Amino acid sequence: MLRPQLQYYSEEGKPFELRLVGKIKQQLSTDPTLHPEYPSSLGLREFTRKATEVALGKHSRAIVENQVLGVQTPGFTAAVRLGAELLRCWYDLSADWCGPVYLSSPCDDSLAGIFQAAGIQEIREYYYWDDKQRGICLERLLEDLESAPEHSVVVLSASAHYPTGADLSQSQWAVITRLITSRRLFPFLLLPTQALCCGDMERDAWPVQHCASLGMELLCAQSFSHCFGLYGEAVGHLLCVLKQNSVLLPVQSQADKIVRSLWARPSVGGAHVVTTVLSNSAHLVEWQGEVKHIVERCMLIRAILREKLRLLGTPGRWDHLTQQGGLFCCIGLNGEQVEFLSNRRRVYLLPGGCLNVSAINCRNLDYIAESIHLALTSSL
């Protein structure tokens, strides 16, 4: 019944296309000024400029001082892959860096494979989600990063952590960035659903802006497929913030070489849509209104599910449901309970007990609440 895919579903249970995006697609299809031609291997220049601005802010010092490289990619996964490839020569263009890379536990199952495909075999985990307290355990997270070797890469979710939906607070980010700086670690930030956590692109990107404001070099993988409903068009972006602009051209040359060997050139259809919206203030206001509706619906579903579980007398506390954000939340069920839901109730969650909030609607909400209650109270 529930879909674990990282995709927004409407109240009708269908993949959702924003009205504005549909209108712009139609306009672009009849625009005589757009010609079918290959883009640069690094993507549409105006798209990369706008993608960089929504991550760092228009007046970012890194942008002003020309310390930023943006590369359009065919989706979020491709952005992570390109970043992983660049890491291998980040510290020394003549050397081959090989890790380790630290991933949160839990995280997107595909991340380890992406880094390994790029030749980085040493993948480690840092503690993130604590099942007992149903939230982030900062103390254990810091312990793991404190013991990380110098130049280790730490992959951190900037907002809407997948699959738990639990995000670090600004005060927690302040502590972590101090540790990253003192231990000389390298942050690789993830923005897979920018704007779908807080309903605001700038707020969701605050951790990226905070790290850049501290003068940290970093990588950030972005996706515009989710917040624009462009699931079939895979619109991604890799942002590279460098410590000095003297290395910009060598990194750009290396990125160009890698891209040509992986996908040659990104497609431009979805990128044109995103650029059109971000470049027009009226379009931007309309798009923000539609995104706000999506975020508010997800938060309402969380609140109603929490209340229904409370009324059913379901064991445990459920406040964490409304303290998380984005499309996913971690219910806090163990493996046996998740298996009970799939085998006995046909409710399918990720193995760690995480679900896609948007797949809940008025037709299945009661059934899902009852199923969770039964999973926690029945003799399995």
Side-chain angles (χ1 to χ4, degrees):
M1 177 178 288
L2 283 189
R3 304 172 177 88
Q5 290 93 339
L6 184 54
Q7 179 170 328
Y8 178 74
Y9 294 93
S10 68
E11 181 65 23
E12 292 72 37
K14 298 178 180 179
F16 188 69
E17 179 179 77
L18 279 69
R19 290 187 297 274
L20 174 63
V21 169
K23 288 191 296 185
I24 290 177
K25 281 183 179 179
Q26 193 170 20
Q27 291 170 6
L28 291 174
S29 68
T30 58
D31 187 342
T33 65
L34 291 179
H35 305 291
E37 56 188 1
Y38 281 125
S40 157
S41 59
L42 301 183
L44 296 178
R45 183 173 297 179
E46 187 62 14
F47 168 79
T48 59
R49 186 174 74 83
K50 288 296 180 182
T52 298
E53 287 179 356
V54 297
L56 293 176
K58 287 184 179 180
H59 307 295
S60 166
R61 186 180 67 183
I63 294 176
V64 173
E65 297 181 1
N66 197 31
Q67 295 172 239
V68 178
L69 171 67
V71 182
Q72 182 190 343
T73 63
F76 178 74
T77 298
V80 177
R81 174 63 187 274
L82 176 59
E85 295 281 354
L86 283 173
L87 282 172
R88 295 177 59 195
C89 59
W90 190 271
Y91 293 106
D92 184 350
L93 289 174
S94 64
D96 195 22
W97 177 88
C98 59
V101 168
Y102 281 79
L103 304 176
S104 68
S105 176
C107 69
D108 184 337
D109 288 342
S110 68
L111 285 176
I114 296 171
F115 283 99
Q116 288 166 345
I120 301 170
Q121 299 304 317
E122 191 174 357
I123 309 296
R124 302 181 186 178
E125 292 183 339
Y126 62 87
Y127 202 85
Y128 191 82
W129 173 264
D130 187 90
D131 283 322
K132 290 183 179 179
Q133 69 184 46
R134 295 185 177 180
I136 299 168
C137 183
L138 182 64
E139 183 179 353
R140 291 188 62 181
L141 185 158
L142 293 173
E143 286 176 3
D144 287 344
L145 297 189
E146 185 71 48
S147 63
E150 190 175 284
H151 294 327
S152 295
V153 170
V154 183
V155 179
L156 293 155
S157 171
S159 68
H161 178 269
Y162 178 78
T164 68
D167 287 330
L168 296 161
S169 67
Q170 292 191 5
S171 60
Q172 289 172 327
W173 271 106
V175 175
I176 290 171
T177 51
R178 284 198 295 271
L179 176 60
I180 287 174
T181 302
S182 65
R183 295 290 303 156
R184 298 184 69 185
L185 307 178
F186 186 94
F188 193 140
L189 306 180
L190 306 180
L191 270 175
T193 59
Q194 190 173 354
L196 293 186
C197 184
C198 300
D200 182 278
M201 274 197 156
E202 187 168 342
R203 284 180 62 192
D204 279 4
W206 181 88
V208 184
Q209 297 172 12
H210 175 65
C211 290
S213 72
L214 297 174
M216 300 170 70
E217 58 180 351
L218 61 88
L219 293 173
C220 178
Q222 300 166 263
S223 172
F224 294 88
S225 299
H226 302 290
C227 57
F228 283 85
L230 296 166
Y231 292 110
E233 297 173 64
V235 186
H237 184 258
L238 180 70
L239 173 67
C240 310
V241 179
L242 312 169
K243 274 198 171 179
Q244 49 195 20
N245 57 24
S246 60
V247 298
L248 180 62
L249 288 180
V251 173
Q252 180 175 305
S253 175
Q254 192 68 23
D256 180 72
K257 180 180 177 182
I258 294 167
V259 165
R260 290 179 185 276
S261 69
L262 290 176
W263 55 79
R265 294 175 177 85
S267 59
V268 297
H272 276 306
V273 172
V274 174
T275 305
T276 301
V277 173
L278 297 180
S279 302
N280 183 298
S281 58
H283 287 336
L284 188 57
V285 169
E286 185 176 347
W287 172 79
Q288 288 171 335
E290 291 195 71
V291 168
K292 185 179 179 182
H293 171 75
I294 290 172
V295 173
E296 289 175 347
R297 174 176 171 260
C298 288
M299 289 305 298
L300 180 61
I301 290 169
R302 291 172 181 274
I304 296 174
L305 179 60
R306 181 190 64 181
E307 182 64 12
K308 286 190 177 293
L309 292 172
R310 186 188 69 82
L311 293 173
L312 286 168
T314 308
R317 291 178 57 84
W318 300 98
D319 291 342
H320 65 284
L321 296 181
T322 51
Q323 292 166 355
Q324 301 164 3
L327 298 182
F328 270 74
C329 73
C330 196
I331 297 294
L333 304 182
N334 61 36
E336 286 184 326
Q337 292 160 346
V338 171
E339 190 174 346
F340 171 88
L341 288 177
S342 61
N343 293 340
R344 301 277 292 277
R345 302 290 291 182
R346 298 295 184 266
V347 174
Y348 303 100
L349 277 63
L350 292 171
C354 301
L355 60 81
N356 185 334
V357 176
S358 72
I360 303 175
N361 53 55
C362 62
R363 295 184 300 280
N364 62 24
L365 180 54
D366 287 338
Y367 182 82
I368 289 163
E370 291 166 6
S371 298
I372 293 172
H373 178 76
L374 288 173
L376 286 160
T377 57
S378 299
S379 177
L380 302 179

